[in-house]
Amino acid sequence: MTPARIPNALSIAGSDPSGGAGIQADLKTFAAQRCYGMAAITALTAQNTRGVSGVHLVPPSFVQQQIAAIFDDIRVDAVKIGMIATADIASAVADSLSAYPGVPIVLDPVMIAKGGAPLLRDDAIDAVRTRLVPLATVITPNLPEGARLLGTTVADTRAEMMAHAQALLALGARAVLLKGGHLDANESPDCLVFDGGVHWFESSRLPTTHTHGTGCTLSAALAAQLAHGASLPDAVHTAKTYVTAAIGAAHQLTVGHGHGPTHHFHTLWQD
C-alpha cells in the first residue's frame, strides 16, 4: 500500500519569539494537523504574553524572495497569510501568490495583537482589501477586523455578523469565516459564508485568559485541512474543534504572566 502523501503548508506571517502566535504558532499547528510546515517571515516582533514591545519589518523584496525560493523547489498544498504590516508587503505577497491560482489561501487579516498593539498600518488596510482578499480561498477576520475592512462599526449581534460576512464576501474572497469571539455572549459562534450558503459553527466560551494566538492557530489549522483536501465546511469544523480543545487544555502549560498560549499539542503530549 502506498502511504498517503503528507501535505506541505506555507505560512506567510510575522515571528512571535514567545511562541504563542505568528509563525511559531502556525508551524506548531501544521505539525499537529499532520502537515509539513514552511514559513516566509514578514516581520520580527519583540513580544511576550504581556504584549508587543517592538516590530522590525522585513523588506518586501526579501519577503518575495522567500516565497519564490519555496515555490521554486517545493510543492505547496496550501498557504496561510497572517501579519502583513504594510501596504508594500501586502503588494509583494499578492504579486508572489498571483502566479499560483490553484493553491488554497487562508487570509487572516491580523490587525491588532492580543495586548492591543497595532500590527497593520492604516495605509495597509486598503492593500489587504484590494490585493489580498480577492486572492483568498477564505478570509478569517474577527469582528473588529471585519469592521475595519468594511469601514463600519463592529457587529454585536448574529444578524449583523451575517450581514458583515456577506459584505466581506463581496470584496472578492471565495469564502468568509467571520469569528464571533468578541460577541457579548456565553457562546463563541463563527459564521461561514460562501457560495454554498451560510453555516454557523458553535462553541461555548471558555473561562480562560490563555487565548494568545488563537486567530493564528485557527487559520493555520484551516489551511492545513484544505491542504489535506477537506471541503471548506469540514475544514472549518475540524479547525474550530482543534482550537477549542487547544484553549481548553492551555492550563496545562505554564508560559508567561499575561495572555498565555493555547496548547497546540494537546492531543500528542499525553501522559
Side-chain angles (χ1 to χ4, degrees), residues 18-254:
S18 72
I23 289 291
Q24 288 82 350
D26 293 348
L27 292 177
K28 292 174 186 178
T29 302
F30 290 158
Q33 296 289 305
R34 299 179 298 109
C35 281
Y36 177 79
M38 305 172 288
I41 298 176
T42 59
L44 305 176
T45 69
Q47 68 174 296
N48 53 32
T49 65
R50 288 172 167 165
V52 178
S53 57
V55 176
H56 181 72
L57 299 177
V58 175
S61 60
F62 192 70
V63 174
Q64 283 187 300
Q65 190 174 348
Q66 293 176 79
I67 297 170
I70 292 170
F71 275 94
D72 284 349
D73 179 51
I74 303 169
R75 185 194 75 250
V76 179
D77 297 303
V79 175
K80 175 262 172 80
I81 303 173
M83 180 182 176
I84 289 298
T86 71
D88 288 342
I89 293 176
S91 294
V93 172
D95 290 342
S96 297
L97 295 181
S98 60
Y100 307 99
V103 178
I105 296 173
V106 178
L107 171 61
D108 182 22
V110 178
M111 297 182 182
I112 300 174
K114 186 68 66 179
L119 298 177
L120 186 68
R121 293 179 181 174
D122 288 342
D123 66 342
I125 294 176
D126 186 63
V128 169
R129 184 191 300 115
T130 60
R131 297 297 316 277
L132 291 177
V133 169
L135 294 177
T137 305
V138 57
I139 63 173
T140 62
N142 59 31
L143 298 185
E145 291 163 348
R148 289 195 70 185
L149 285 172
L150 294 172
T152 188
T153 57
V154 177
D156 59 8
T157 66
R158 286 182 181 241
E160 289 182 349
M161 274 187 68
M162 186 185 301
H164 281 201
Q166 290 169 333
L168 288 165
L169 188 68
L171 296 179
R174 279 175 272 172
V176 176
L177 179 66
L178 186 59
K179 301 174 294 187
H182 287 79
L183 279 184
D184 185 13
N186 293 326
E187 291 76 37
S188 181
D190 297 340
C191 181
L192 175 66
V193 177
F194 65 119
D195 60 7
V198 177
H199 294 254
W200 286 94
F201 296 85
E202 309 289 345
S203 66
S204 298
R205 189 179 302 278
L206 301 176
T208 179
T209 60
H210 300 305
T211 55
H212 181 55
T214 51
C216 303
T217 300
L218 176 66
S219 55
L222 179 50
Q225 288 302 309
L226 293 177
H228 278 289
S231 68
L232 185 56
D234 287 347
V236 173
H237 173 75
T238 300
K240 187 170 175 67
T241 300
Y242 165 74
V243 172
T244 301
I247 296 170
H251 66 279
Q252 299 173 20
L253 303 173
T254 54

